[in-house]
Amino acid sequence: MNASLVLALDFPSADEALPLARRLRGVVPWMKVGLELFTAEGPRVVSELKNMDFKVFLDLKFHDIPNTVKGAAKSAASLGADMTTIHHAGGERMAKAALEGVREAGYPTLVFAISILTSTSPLEAGYTTDGEVTKAVAAKALQARTWGLPGLVCSGLEAAAVKAATGKDFLCLCPGIRLEGGSDDDQRRVVTPAMAVKAGADFLVMGRPIARAADPRAAAMAALENMAKVC
Ligand code: C5P
């Protein structure tokens, strides 16, 4: 199994996020800094996580005119973010601008396109069935690959179709991961860690099921064990 677990540090302050990250050193290799934490704390939280030897996923979901996204992606790469996100809906010129920004920064940040948020049901996304969503996501993946992006964010329900459409080197990052019996919270297209790995996911993003667990370390271990079940 080559899939990596990413913990979403969805907290309002570094004082809450960083102690949890510290407790999970050596267990979870990637930490995700999203809109809430970055808006509150800014770049220093990325530096602190890098200093703890984590790989950092700066998930700011850029979606703006190409020039603005180029600058934002350049800033993310200059910070040492190992991965970042743009919205697929921003189109080809925006995606290429993001890649250009990363190139100018000279740090190999992976830029992933968000396809359809895992928190939306097929109906909310404008489709009637899971199958239609899968088809649409696979088509977005093909486009993203053509634009030169290394991967796509999608649900584990779509990962196999994305891989089939694009080839195994195009990376799949899947949020909306839940252990059996856990709450879906606001997510709608969820799978277990084992299902995501089996479908070919390269990165599994989990937040609340680990971060809000009574014992986050045990929850992370349970997720990793479930991921390993596939082999
Ligand atoms: O707590 P939970 O496991 O639902 O957290 C999922 C994380 O993944 C959140 O930080 C969310 O912002 C992020 N994410 C997502 N769906 C996407 C892209 C990112 O849930 N399509």
Side-chain angles (χ1 to χ4, degrees):
M1 176 193 70
N2 290 319
S4 299
L5 182 60
V6 182
L7 174 62
L9 292 171
D10 290 326
F11 289 103
S13 71
D15 285 348
E16 287 163 88
L18 295 180
L20 175 62
R22 213 166 280 122
R23 278 174 71 188
L24 290 172
R25 269 172 105 171
V27 179
V28 180
W30 283 81
M31 291 290 149
K32 181 174 97 73
V33 176
L35 293 168
E36 182 181 11
L37 185 56
F38 195 78
T39 303
E41 299 286 0
R44 97 172 166 95
V45 79
V46 174
S47 316
E48 300 224 17
L49 290 166
K50 297 284 294 184
N51 289 340
M52 283 187 233
D53 285 334
F54 286 111
K55 291 275 197 183
V56 175
F57 172 20
L58 186 57
D59 181 24
L60 300 182
K61 300 182 173 64
F62 300 134
H63 190 181
D64 209 317
I65 63 169
N67 184 59
T68 301
V69 168
K70 177 183 171 183
K74 186 172 178 178
S75 296
S78 301
L79 279 181
D82 298 286
M83 195 147 71
T84 193
T85 42
I86 60 173
H87 273 282
H88 173 278
E92 178 171 5
R93 284 189 299 121
M94 190 196 83
K96 288 186 169 167
L99 292 172
E100 184 56 26
V102 166
R103 255 192 305 275
E104 283 184 12
Y107 186 82
T109 306
L110 296 170
V111 181
F112 279 67
I114 311 263
S115 58
I116 297 174
L117 290 171
T118 49
S119 57
T120 52
S121 67
L123 272 184
E124 287 171 317
Y127 303 94
T128 46
T129 62
D130 282 337
E132 283 179 17
V133 173
T134 299
K135 246 175 110 174
V137 169
K140 289 175 195 292
L142 260 179
Q143 276 184 318
R145 195 191 62 174
T146 311
W147 299 341
L149 297 175
L152 188 88
V153 182
C154 63
S155 136
L157 294 170
E158 298 115 32
V162 166
K163 290 283 178 176
T166 58
K168 69 175 171 36
D169 292 340
F170 186 76
L171 301 169
C172 254
L173 181 145
C174 298
I177 306 290
R178 290 296 183 268
L179 287 163
E180 209 120 349
S183 164
D184 289 352
D185 303 302
D186 54 352
Q187 297 284 10
R188 291 296 175 269
R189 305 197 324 281
V190 300
V191 299
T192 63
M195 285 163 72
V197 173
K198 194 165 176 209
D202 299 283
F203 296 96
L204 278 64
V205 177
M206 290 181 80
R208 287 160 289 185
I210 294 173
R212 309 289 172 182
D215 183 345
R217 199 181 162 92
M221 298 296 291
L224 289 164
E225 274 165 32
N226 194 262
M227 286 165 70
K229 263 190 183 162
V230 177
C231 310

